[in-house]
Amino acid sequence: MNISTIDIVILATFLVGIIWWALKNGKSQDSDSYFLAGRSMTWPVIGLSLFAASVSSSTLMGHSGEGFISGIAVFNYNWISVLVMVFFALFFLPFYIKSGIFTMPEFLERRFDKKSRYYFSFITIFGNVFLDAAATLYTGALIIRLIFPEMELFTIIIIMAAVAGSYTIIGGLSSAINADMIQAAVLIIGSAILYFFALDAIGGWEELYTRFNEGVWLKLTRPMSDPTVPWLGMWIGIPILGFYFWANNQVMVQRVLSAKTIDHGRKGVLFVGFLYLFTIFIFILPGLIARGIDLFGVENLPYDMIDGSILKSSFGINTDQVYPRMIVKLLPVGLIGIILAAMISALTSTLSATLSSVSTLFTMDFYKRFHPNANGKRLVWVGRITSFLVLVFAVFWAPIIQQFDSLVSYYQEVTSYLAPPIVGTFFMGLFWKRSNEKGAFAGLMSGLLLAAIIMITKYVLGMDIQLHFLLLAPIILVLSVLVNVIVSLMSHMPDEDKVKQNTWTLDIWKQETEELKNVVFYKNFRVLSLLLVMACFTMYFIFF
C-alpha cells in the first residue's frame, strides 16, 4: 500500500496540531481542573468528546469487518445503546452530577459502602490497564502497520502512546476533551468521505440495495441462530452491555461529570446519541459495500453469510484489512491523509480517555483514601504519575496480546459476563430503597462467581456453552439482583440519609416537570429525548 508524501505530511501536521491544541487548552491548577476539566464543559464539547472516546481504531476495523461478513447486524449495538443513553440522561445522570463525585465507584460508596466501591474500582482499573489501553495500542498498531508495513509494531505502539500521553498526562481531562472535539470532527468527516466514495464505487444506493436486499444483509432483526446478534439477545442482552458502557464506565461518564450543569450533561449525552445513529452509514455500510467492489481481488465471492475464519481460510481474506484497503483503493491523494488522521484520532482519543479514567480512579478511590489531607496540586501530581505508569504498562503489554488472542477477540464477551452484576447493583441502588450494602456486595460477588464459572468452563476446560453471550448476560444480571434482594430483605434497613440522597423518586420527576414549563421546546431535554427515541425506532423499522 503506497502512501504519498502529501498524505504523510497531512497526517504529521494533524498530529502536531492536535498536541498543540490539547496542551494549549489544558487545565491542571487543581484536582477539579485536572480530573474533571473544572466541571465547566458545554454540551457540544461533551457530545463530541463522548463520540471520540467511544470510537476506537478497533471499532473502525471491527464495524467494517462485521459489515463485510454479515451486513448491518452489528448496528444493533449502536441503536440500542442510544435508547440506553436516553434512559441514563433522564434518570442516572442528575444524581452523578449533583453528588459532585469524581468516579463511578464513588457513587456506590455513597449509596452503599466502601467494599462495593473498592471492588468496582479495582476491576475497572485492571480492565483499563491490561485490556482497554493495551488492546487499543495493539489493534491500532495493527491497522497502521497495514498502511505502513515497513514499520515495526513496537515502534508504532510507542509513537501512538507518546502522542496520546503527551497531552493527557500534562493537561488532564481538559486537554483530552479539547483534543477529542477536533478528533471527533475529523473522524466524522473522514468516515463520511469514505462512505460517499464507497457508495459511488458500487454505483449508488439503488445498486447497493439491489445487490444486498436478498437475505439478511440489510436487516437488523436476525434469527436466533445468528452468530452476531440473535434477535432475543438484541432486546435483553445489548441493553445491559450498553448501560455498563455508557452509564457505569468511568471512561465515558467522566466526560459527563465535567459538565457545567445537569442540563449540559444531559444534552451532551443526547447529542452523541444523535451522532451514533449515523454510524450505520459511516462505519458499517462501507464494509458491506467492500464486499461488492472486489476489494480483495476475489471474483464471485458468495453472497451469503460466511464466517470470518472461512473467508480467511478459503479465500485468503482478512476482514481486519477491509477498512485500510478501502482507504487506499478508493481515495485520491490528500484525502487518504485525512482518513488516516481519522484513524489516528480514533486510536489516540480512546487511549487518552482510558488514561484519564485510570488516573482518576487510582487517585480519588485509593490514594486520596489513604491521604485525605492531600491538596489539589498533590493529587494532580499523583494523577500524572499514574497516567505515565499506565502508559508504560500498556506499551509493554500490548505486543504480548498477540500471544493471547482471547484478550482481544473475546473482550466484548468477557465484558458481558462481568458487567451485569455491576449494572444490577446500580439499578437496585437508584430504584429500590430497601437495597442495602450487604445485598449490594453479595449481588456483586454472586455475579462475579457465576461469571468466573462460565469463563473457566469455556476458556479453561474448553467446554462448549450453547447459549450466545448476549443471552447469558441477562441470566447473570437476574441472579445477582435476586441475591441482592434476598440478602437485603434478610438484613438490616439501609441508612436513611444514603437512600434519600441517592435514590430516584417520583417527586424528582414532578419537580423537573415544573422547572420545564417555561423552557422552549427545542431546549427541553425531554422533548429532545423523545425525538431521539423516535429517530431510533424509525431507523430500526427502516432496516427491520
Side-chain angles (χ1 to χ4, degrees):
M1 297 182 181
N2 296 318
I3 307 300
S4 71
T5 303
I6 294 176
D7 292 311
I8 294 176
V9 170
I10 290 173
L11 180 59
T13 303
F14 169 78
L15 292 177
V16 173
I18 278 293
I19 294 173
W20 170 80
W21 174 257
L23 290 174
K24 178 177 180 292
N25 291 279
K27 297 177 182 178
S28 58
Q29 302 95 312
D30 51 44
S31 55
D32 258 20
S33 298
Y34 188 78
F35 296 112
L36 292 179
R39 303 184 193 264
S40 61
M41 293 297 161
T42 57
W43 68 263
V45 177
I46 293 170
L48 289 173
S49 180
L50 285 170
F51 186 84
S54 66
V55 178
S56 66
S57 50
S58 56
T59 303
L60 298 179
M61 181 173 67
H63 276 45
S64 59
E66 284 295 332
F68 189 93
I69 295 170
S70 59
I72 65 171
V74 72
F75 181 65
N76 281 301
Y77 285 93
N78 295 2
W79 86 267
I80 289 287
S81 290
V82 175
L83 298 178
V84 170
M85 293 178 209
V86 172
F87 188 89
F88 164 59
L90 290 178
F91 298 103
F92 278 80
L93 184 150
F95 284 90
Y96 291 169
I97 295 180
K98 280 181 182 177
S99 64
I101 60 173
F102 282 83
T103 70
M104 288 300 92
E106 187 178 350
F107 182 79
L108 286 184
E109 180 177 14
R110 294 192 177 217
R111 175 60 179 87
F112 298 114
D113 64 357
K114 61 184 180 181
K115 288 190 298 183
S116 297
R117 175 181 183 174
Y118 288 155
Y119 165 74
F120 185 26
S121 187
F122 175 77
I123 64 170
T124 303
I125 290 175
F126 183 85
N128 282 167
V129 175
F130 291 100
L131 289 177
D132 293 338
T136 297
L137 283 172
Y138 175 64
T139 55
L142 286 181
I143 295 176
I144 295 172
R145 197 180 185 188
L146 293 172
I147 307 296
F148 302 103
E150 70 281 358
M151 292 185 68
E152 292 291 332
L153 189 70
F154 192 66
T155 301
I156 299 173
I157 289 172
I158 291 176
I159 292 173
M160 292 303 96
V163 170
S166 61
Y167 60 83
T168 308
I169 294 173
I170 297 173
L173 186 63
S174 55
S175 283
I177 287 180
N178 278 283
D180 287 347
M181 186 172 59
I182 304 300
Q183 290 169 322
V186 172
L187 186 58
I188 293 169
I189 294 171
S191 299
I193 290 172
L194 182 60
Y195 165 70
F196 285 114
F197 270 86
L199 195 62
D200 180 69
I202 203 173
W205 180 264
E206 289 187 6
E207 180 63 24
L208 168 64
Y209 185 81
T210 300
R211 290 202 194 188
F212 295 103
N213 186 41
E214 297 295 328
V216 295
W217 293 101
L218 292 172
K219 295 187 182 299
L220 291 172
T221 304
R222 301 299 179 97
M224 283 294 289
S225 59
D226 187 82
T228 307
V229 184
W231 70 265
L232 185 58
M234 175 182 72
W235 292 110
I236 67 174
I238 293 179
I240 297 172
L241 302 186
F243 191 86
Y244 174 77
F245 184 78
W246 290 102
N248 299 150
N249 184 0
Q250 178 70 20
V251 172
M252 305 309 299
V253 181
Q254 187 169 344
R255 278 146 173 73
V256 179
L257 296 178
S258 71
K260 63 190 301 183
T261 64
I262 293 173
D263 191 59
H264 276 281
R266 276 173 160 155
K267 288 175 180 175
V269 173
L270 298 178
F271 180 36
V272 76
F274 278 106
L275 293 177
Y276 249 65
L277 292 179
F278 294 96
T279 56
I280 187 174
F281 300 105
I282 62 177
F283 295 157
I284 301 168
L285 280 178
L288 178 58
I289 292 172
R291 197 179 184 98
I293 59 175
D294 193 22
L295 188 67
F296 290 89
V298 179
E299 296 183 1
N300 301 318
L301 190 64
Y303 274 66
D304 56 5
M305 297 284 285
I306 298 180
D307 184 82
S309 60
I310 298 176
L311 280 170
K312 191 170 185 178
S313 61
S314 301
F315 301 97
I317 294 175
N318 183 354
T319 56
D320 290 344
Q321 296 182 10
V322 170
Y323 196 82
R325 279 179 176 267
M326 281 194 297
I327 291 174
V328 177
K329 181 179 178 66
L330 301 179
L331 299 181
V333 171
L335 285 181
I336 292 178
I338 295 176
I339 306 299
L340 289 180
M343 292 175 62
I344 301 299
S345 295
L347 190 158
T348 54
S349 59
T350 304
L351 181 59
S352 174
T354 304
L355 291 178
S356 295
S357 169
V358 178
S359 172
T360 307
L361 286 167
F362 177 79
T363 305
M364 306 309 293
D365 285 348
F366 292 99
Y367 182 83
K368 192 176 181 181
R369 168 69 65 177
F370 297 102
H371 301 83
N373 297 321
N375 59 29
K377 290 185 177 180
R378 180 72 175 181
L379 295 176
V380 170
W381 181 82
V382 173
R384 284 175 172 160
I385 295 296
T386 303
S387 292
F388 177 75
L389 292 177
V390 168
L391 200 58
V392 171
F393 275 121
V395 165
F396 285 99
W397 183 256
I400 300 175
I401 288 181
Q402 59 191 322
Q403 302 176 26
F404 306 94
D405 288 338
S406 60
L407 287 177
V408 176
S409 304
Y410 300 110
Y411 174 65
Q412 191 173 50
E413 185 173 345
V414 171
T415 302
S416 71
Y417 303 146
L418 295 177
I422 295 167
V423 172
T425 303
F426 271 86
F427 264 86
M428 296 298 286
L430 193 69
F431 293 111
W432 192 45
K433 296 180 180 181
R434 186 62 178 82
S435 182
N436 62 21
E437 67 274 14
K438 290 185 177 180
F441 192 69
L444 288 170
M445 291 301 101
S446 62
L448 177 64
L449 177 62
L450 182 56
I453 292 172
I454 292 173
M455 287 188 285
I456 291 172
T457 301
K458 188 166 185 178
Y459 301 127
V460 178
L461 302 180
M463 297 174 64
D464 185 30
I465 297 177
Q466 297 298 318
L467 278 179
H468 193 281
F469 66 85
L470 288 177
L471 301 177
L472 285 170
I475 294 175
I476 300 173
L477 174 69
V478 170
L479 173 73
S480 63
V481 167
L482 283 176
V483 171
N484 189 325
V485 170
I486 294 171
V487 174
S488 293
L489 291 176
M490 293 179 64
S491 53
H492 62 82
M493 294 289 291
D495 183 274
E496 187 175 341
D497 289 336
K498 288 185 175 183
V499 171
K500 185 177 181 180
Q501 296 174 17
N502 300 292
T503 305
W504 188 87
T505 64
L506 189 59
D507 288 338
I508 295 174
W509 181 271
K510 292 177 180 178
Q511 181 183 341
E512 289 181 341
T513 301
E514 288 296 319
E515 294 171 352
L516 291 171
K517 281 185 176 179
N518 297 321
V519 176
V520 65
F521 75 93
Y522 59 84
K523 292 183 178 181
N524 187 319
F525 69 86
R526 287 185 185 170
V527 174
L528 297 175
S529 298
L530 180 60
L531 291 175
L532 183 52
V533 171
M534 291 170 61
C536 267
F537 281 102
T538 299
M539 186 76 77
Y540 173 70
F541 286 116
I542 288 174
F543 295 101
F544 179 80

